[in-house]
């Protein structure tokens, strides 16, 4: 497979054609890199699950170029979901909605709902638009990492994760580092009230302020929701190094914290973000660096706040070491 760095219009058209032919195309979004596949092509989706090493009953998010195509995939869309889509799309938000017949069991993990997102990265927008012009309906794209591992926020990270699994006909598009750095907010819109299944850059305060409804937040490991989502497993987003939260590093341990927190003696600093936005941008790259440096442990001091800190803390909880 090739990494394509000069993503001019003709390359994106070729990439869209390749998707339509059943190949995989890893592409940048504003959250993390996705591993794209034609969401209506059963064999190609089977190949994607194999490359990811992901159990087939875990659903995929379908990416579309604009809200105009939402009706093709989803039905009985509640008023509050329309409002969310109009306000936060294109952007880092995924809506879970009742599915139409287009959304087959092989992308929904046999559930009656489908996850839909309109990403805002310009390269993703052009790729999806070209794909739809070729007759495609949507591109299913999980984060472009092996199942349970850290999501990639650069094309190099995608290569490092998946080069051993992709075919020569598959592609990786390079669109630079991801602006948000953590995965989209997932909102279950199949009930009277919205429920956050995975926190992200669109926060529960932003959602409830917009729609004037109470927003529920599903707890890690909770069995209250009937919805299945791998990000809800206890261990996810994990590097090989063991991640410990808010403990004192030993000699040679990695260390991640806001720049205002000094590096403890003997620790190896992996990132010094200035604020929570930068923290989200740098977190996954820093966890990957720990593995490149073959560090046994990483000590992370989680950020605080009700902004992106919530999403960061959610991922840190899930990747931290449980004895
Ligand atoms: O930011 C993102 O959302 C990235 C970029 C590439 O768009 N994608 C991403 O996909 O994080 P993935 O597959 O790594 O995580 C998607 C999550 C999974 O936890 C999946 O179970 C959940 O979305 N999901 C997808 N469809 C669902 C559905 N119908 N019901 C419940 N959860 C669903
Ligand atoms: Mg993922």
């Amino acid at each position: 497979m090739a990494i394509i760095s000069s993503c001019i219009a003709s390359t994106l058209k070729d990439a869209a054609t390749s998707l339509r032919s059943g190949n995989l195309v890893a592409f940048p979004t504003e959250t993390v890199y996705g591993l794209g596949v034609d969401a209506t092509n059963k064999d190609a989706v089977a190949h994607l699950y194999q490359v990811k090493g992901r159990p087939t009953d875990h659903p995929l998010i379908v990416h579309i170029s604009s809200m105009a195509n939402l009706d093709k995939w989803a039905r009985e869309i509640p008023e509050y979901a329309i409002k969310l889509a109009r306000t936060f799309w294109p952007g880092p938000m995924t809506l879970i909605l009742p599915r139409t017949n287009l959304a087959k069991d092989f992308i929904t993990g046999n559930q009656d709902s489908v996850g839909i997102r309109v990403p805002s990265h310009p390269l993703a927008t052009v790729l999806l638009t070209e794909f739809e012009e070729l007759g495609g309906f949507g591109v299913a794209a999980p984060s472009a990492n092996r199942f349970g591992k850290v999501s990639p926020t650069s094309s190099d990270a995608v290569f490092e994760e998946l080069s051993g699994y992709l075919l020569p006909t598959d592609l990786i598009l390079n669109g630079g580092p991801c602006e948000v750095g953590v995965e989209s907010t997932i909102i279950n819109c199949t009930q009277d009230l919205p429920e956050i299944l995975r926190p992200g850059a669109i926060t529960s305060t932003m959602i409830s302020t917009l729609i004037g409804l109470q927003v529920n937040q599903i707890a890690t490991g909770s069995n209250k929701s009937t919805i299945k989502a791998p990000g809800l497993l206890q261990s996810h987003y994990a590097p090989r190094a063991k991640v410990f939260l808010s403990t004192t590093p030993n000699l040679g341990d990695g260390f991640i914290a806001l720049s205002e927190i000094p590096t403890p003696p003997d620790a190896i600093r992996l990132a010094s973000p200035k604020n929570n936005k930068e923290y989200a941008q740098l977190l996954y790259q820093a966890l990957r660096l720990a593995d490149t440096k073959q560090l046994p442990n990483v000590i992370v001091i989680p950020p605080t706040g009700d902004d992106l800190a919530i999403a960061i803390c959610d991922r840190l909880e899930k990747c931290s070491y449980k004895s």
Side-chain angles (χ1 to χ4, degrees):
M1 116 285 332
I3 293 196
I4 300 193
S5 284
S6 56
C7 291
I8 49 174
S10 59
T11 16
L12 291 172
K13 201 179 185 112
D14 290 348
T17 308
S18 186
L19 275 172
R20 283 293 282 153
S21 313
N23 299 312
L24 305 185
V25 176
F27 64 98
T29 81
E30 69 281 18
T31 57
V32 298
Y33 274 69
L35 183 59
V37 68
D38 184 339
T40 61
N41 184 331
K42 192 175 181 182
D43 292 341
V45 171
H47 172 47
L48 172 108
Y49 274 94
Q50 210 179 14
V51 168
K52 263 203 73 102
R54 181 172 180 160
T56 50
D57 62 346
H58 290 297
L60 301 174
I61 296 172
V62 177
H63 296 66
I64 53 179
S65 71
S66 82
M67 196 183 155
N69 297 334
L70 184 57
D71 289 347
K72 297 193 172 96
W73 291 96
R75 60 190 167 81
E76 295 166 31
I77 305 168
E79 199 49 48
Y80 71 79
I82 304 265
K83 237 181 187 168
L84 288 171
R86 283 208 183 112
T87 309
F88 297 123
W89 277 348
M93 177 186 75
T94 297
L95 301 181
I96 307 296
L97 292 160
R99 65 173 169 175
T100 62
N101 287 336
L102 193 59
K104 303 290 189 222
D105 283 347
F106 59 81
I107 55 155
T108 70
N110 301 313
Q111 302 186 82
D112 285 331
S113 58
V114 61
I116 305 286
R117 178 157 113 78
V118 179
S120 66
H121 193 294
L123 214 143
T125 307
V126 176
L127 179 70
L128 293 169
T129 306
E130 292 285 359
F131 178 80
E132 288 158 7
E133 272 169 22
L134 292 167
F137 289 102
V139 173
S143 50
N145 51 281
R146 295 279 289 165
F147 184 62
K149 299 295 180 192
V150 181
S151 297
T153 52
S154 69
S155 58
D156 284 349
V158 177
F159 185 83
E160 196 183 284
E161 270 292 312
L162 299 180
S163 57
Y165 302 92
L166 292 171
L167 297 175
T169 43
D170 299 328
L171 291 175
I172 300 173
L173 302 181
N174 178 4
C178 298
E179 197 193 326
V180 178
V182 293
E183 305 82 352
S184 62
T185 306
I186 301 182
I187 309 166
N188 177 14
C189 302
T190 62
Q191 303 163 351
D192 291 344
L193 292 177
E195 175 187 42
I196 297 185
L197 300 179
R198 181 176 71 184
I202 307 299
T203 63
S204 71
T205 312
M206 290 160 77
I207 298 167
S208 56
T209 305
L210 176 76
I211 61 179
L213 292 173
Q214 182 196 325
V215 181
N216 297 318
Q217 174 97 41
I218 192 170
T220 302
S222 162
N223 51 11
K224 271 193 279 171
S225 176
T226 51
I227 280 200
K228 206 180 284 166
L232 298 176
L233 297 176
Q234 286 284 337
S235 174
H236 216 80
Y237 314 109
R240 269 196 309 278
K242 287 181 185 154
V243 176
F244 296 92
L245 305 183
S246 304
T247 56
T248 309
N250 292 316
L251 178 67
D253 285 348
F255 186 72
I256 301 172
L258 281 168
S259 56
E260 67 207 33
I261 302 174
T263 313
D266 302 334
I268 299 164
R269 190 83 185 209
L270 298 172
S272 303
K274 287 191 289 298
N275 50 44
N276 291 351
K277 185 168 185 259
E278 211 174 280
Y279 205 129
Q281 285 169 342
L282 299 180
L283 177 64
Y284 288 160
Q285 179 189 315
L287 291 174
R288 276 178 189 282
L289 186 59
D291 285 350
T292 312
K293 290 179 176 289
Q294 300 188 315
L295 305 183
N297 306 312
V298 185
I299 312 306
V300 187
I301 312 297
T304 54
D306 63 358
D307 53 4
L308 263 168
I310 294 172
I312 296 167
C313 291
D314 167 77
R315 307 311 190 268
L316 288 174
E317 268 307 314
K318 281 167 190 151
C319 76
S320 61
Y321 181 68
K322 288 148 197 103
S323 54

